[in-house]
């Protein structure tokens, strides 16, 4: 008998044996968890302990980098075989796939233990999520209670961020440098869209403060954005002031500074 299996993008036909193998994999994982729980109990709860996690992690969006810094507990860098830290990053969603972007400690490219990292490979306008873990000496893991061999790491959830961080450029003094990205906005051109928000349009090279008014081609004001964060970046999610997604058309964007300077640009949206 054939069965359908789908991962959300593709549908495959599989036979009964393949289906059973997948099901039994889940069963095997469950039984392995039971065996480890029993071994932990029989050892008097003598599981090897991982290093302590960072006490607090701060992520700061800056002009040419995203800066991370973290604190440690009083004995965080001496207990449980601590050796260093690792930083992982995901794009667009907090529950997405994370990749290691930095490591410090003996045997890494950064042998000196530090408590900060500057991510200079972030792309402007994209949202990033991070977590920081402490990793330990493999020798500190004695394998008690069926613990797999190797270095133990602290839980990622102690040092994980759930708000996206964005690379932000410095503001521009001249309003003539303002750019709208992408322009034209074409929802079918996925390569030109932001992976975290497909409806997002960016306004780059802004002055530190300005008012952004967006009008239809007929002159109807549909959205006002107060840019006050002091950076050169701001964004629009393609909705009106009533939270309705805008339709295809030509839009007029007026940028005005507090001192009365103004510039006008056109934007095309294709949905």
């Amino acid at each position: 008998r054939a069965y359908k299996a789908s991962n959300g993008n593709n549908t495959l036909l599989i036979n009964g044996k393949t289906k059973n193998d997948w099901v039994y994999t889940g069963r095997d994982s469950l039984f392995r968890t039971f065996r480890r729980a029993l071994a932990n109990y029989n050892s008097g709860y003598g599981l090897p302990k991982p290093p302590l996690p960072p006490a607090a992690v701060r992520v700061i969006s800056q002009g040419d980098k995203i800066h991370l810094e973290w604190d440690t507990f009083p004995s965080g860098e001496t207990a449980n075989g601590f050796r260093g830290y690792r930083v992982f990053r995901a794009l667009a969603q907090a529950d997405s796939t994370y990749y290691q972007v930095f490591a410090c400690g003996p045997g890494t490219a950064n042998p000196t233990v530090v408590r900060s990292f500057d991510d200079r490979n972030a792309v402007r306008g994209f949202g990033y999520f991070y977590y920081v873990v402490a990793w330990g000496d493999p020798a500190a893991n004695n394998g008690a209670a069926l613990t797999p061999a190797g270095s133990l790491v602290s839980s990622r959830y102690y040092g994980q961020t759930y708000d996206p961080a964005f690379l932000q450029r410095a503001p521009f003094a001249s309003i003539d440098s303002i750019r709208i990205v992408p322009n034209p906005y074409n929802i079918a051109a996925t390569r030109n869209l932001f992976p975290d928000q497909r409806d997002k349009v960016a306004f780059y090279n802004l002055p530190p403060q300005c008012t952004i008014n967006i009008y239809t081609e007929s002159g109807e004001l549909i959205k006002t954005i107060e840019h006050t964060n002091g950076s050169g970046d701001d964004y629009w999610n393609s909705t009106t002031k009533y939270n309705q997604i805008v339709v295809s058309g030509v839009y007029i964007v007026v940028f005005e500074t507090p001192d009365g300077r103004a510039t006008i640009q056109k934007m095309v949206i294709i949905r």
Side-chain angles (χ1 to χ4, degrees), residues 12-57:
L12 304 174
L13 288 177
I14 61 174
N15 57 32
K17 181 179 182 305
T18 302
K19 184 266 295 182
N20 290 337
D21 288 344
W22 284 357
V23 172
Y24 293 152
T25 298
R27 184 195 66 176
D28 293 343
S29 297
L30 184 62
F31 285 170
R32 183 170 62 246
T33 300
F34 289 158
R35 287 194 295 270
R36 288 177 176 173
L38 183 60
N40 184 30
Y41 175 79
N42 290 335
S43 70
Y45 300 101
L47 278 173
K49 295 181 180 179
L52 295 177
V57 176

Side-chain angles (χ1 to χ4, degrees), residues 39-82:
N40 184 30
Y41 175 79
N42 290 335
S43 70
Y45 300 101
L47 278 173
K49 295 181 180 179
L52 295 177
V57 176
R58 293 175 293 279
V59 181
I60 305 168
S61 302
Q62 296 182 345
D64 59 349
K65 62 190 176 185
I66 297 177
H67 176 72
L68 287 81
E69 57 186 42
W70 53 90
D71 302 325
T72 184
F73 291 104
S75 60
E77 296 183 352
T78 58
N80 305 336
F82 170 87

Side-chain angles (χ1 to χ4, degrees), residues 146-188:
L146 298 182
T147 302
S151 173
L152 298 179
V153 300
S154 62
S155 172
R156 59 181 276 187
Y157 299 106
Y158 283 94
Q160 181 165 342
T161 65
Y162 293 93
D163 293 322
F166 297 90
L167 186 72
Q168 293 182 333
R169 298 299 188 194
F172 276 56
S174 172
I175 61 174
D176 296 328
S177 302
I178 295 174
R179 295 175 53 213
I180 301 174
V181 179
N183 189 17
Y185 167 96
N186 186 345
I187 195 170

